[in-house]
Amino acid sequence: MSTKKGISYITPLRLNNKFPFIIYTNPKKTRENIFIFNAKSIFEAYNLGIKESNFGVYCFLHDDTVILNKPEFEEKVYNIFSSDSTIGLIGVLGCKKLIDGLYWGGQHVGIINNKHKIFGKKIEGLCEEVEGIDGLLMVTNLPILFDEITYKGWDIYDLDMSRHMRSIKKKVVVGEFEIEHGIMGKNQENKKRYEQAIENRELYSKKWETK
């Protein structure tokens, strides 16, 4: 964890390695890639990345998410955080109103290129506030760890972090960025992961029902 200016791009990769490593990708060293291998869950992976980070801004992204123009992306991220000190979490795709605090309704905000198909709704202004964001890309300037005590697996981390931010009076917003997303698989194609996703939804509801 650090307050030094720069962005750490944290990506979980499920391969046969058991340690995180870092690659610097620009000469000024204000950007780094942190790949986490073989984590037990996405909650653990992102927490390891936060602890390894050398910078004060954390960008969590899937291994099939591509940021097409990182300098422009980073400038927009800094501008969004500078525009409002109560903003705690930035995404590229979000939902204005979650059904029962969990399920996405029809008010999707933000645009992504999903397997060469444009999905979403253009935002108004620099950013737009939402209740929850999609975990394909999430950015925060707060060193808040993901809840790996309550959850296992690879789902619900995005809505849980969104809900946590709102519980500490921080806004969750969507910005407009050039992003491509590949959708490498669906939960239904992996029975074990699908079952864990259902369990995480139940745990999420129980965790936040009285808060």
Side-chain angles (χ1 to χ4, degrees), residues 149-189:
I149 303 300
T150 300
Y151 305 104
K152 298 177 182 178
W154 301 84
D155 298 276
I156 220 68
Y157 60 96
D158 43 10
L159 291 186
D160 188 70
M161 182 57 75
S162 297
R163 184 66 183 83
H164 179 77
M165 288 291 179
R166 291 192 291 118
S167 76
I168 60 172
K169 310 301 182 185
K170 289 292 184 178
K171 292 178 183 176
V172 180
V173 303
V174 166
E176 190 170 314
F177 308 108
E178 288 189 80
I179 302 292
E180 286 188 353
H181 186 231
I183 311 181
M184 295 182 69
K186 296 180 179 179
N187 284 351
Q188 290 85 345
E189 296 171 0

Side-chain angles (χ1 to χ4, degrees), residues 57-108:
V57 176
Y58 315 95
C59 178
F60 309 99
L61 66 165
H62 294 176
D63 52 7
D64 61 342
T65 297
V66 179
I67 300 170
L68 298 180
N69 187 332
K70 278 191 176 178
E72 182 182 274
F73 169 82
E74 291 167 358
E75 182 178 1
K76 285 185 176 180
V77 164
Y78 291 132
N79 287 342
I80 290 172
F81 282 130
S82 297
S83 71
D84 186 343
S85 62
T86 66
I87 292 175
L89 189 64
I90 303 170
V92 67
L93 189 68
C95 185
K96 278 286 198 181
K97 183 65 177 177
L98 296 168
I99 301 171
D100 295 330
L102 177 61
Y103 298 98
W104 283 50
Q107 298 173 300
H108 295 176

Side-chain angles (χ1 to χ4, degrees), residues 21 33 48 51 55 60 89 106 122 128 131 140 151 154 175 184 187 189 195 208 210:
F21 69 90
N33 292 331
L48 286 170
K51 293 170 184 176
F55 298 118
F60 309 99
L89 189 64
K122 188 176 178 66
E128 199 165 336
E131 283 197 350
T140 185
Y151 305 104
W154 301 84
M184 295 182 69
N187 284 351
E189 296 171 0
E195 291 173 348
W208 294 110
T210 58

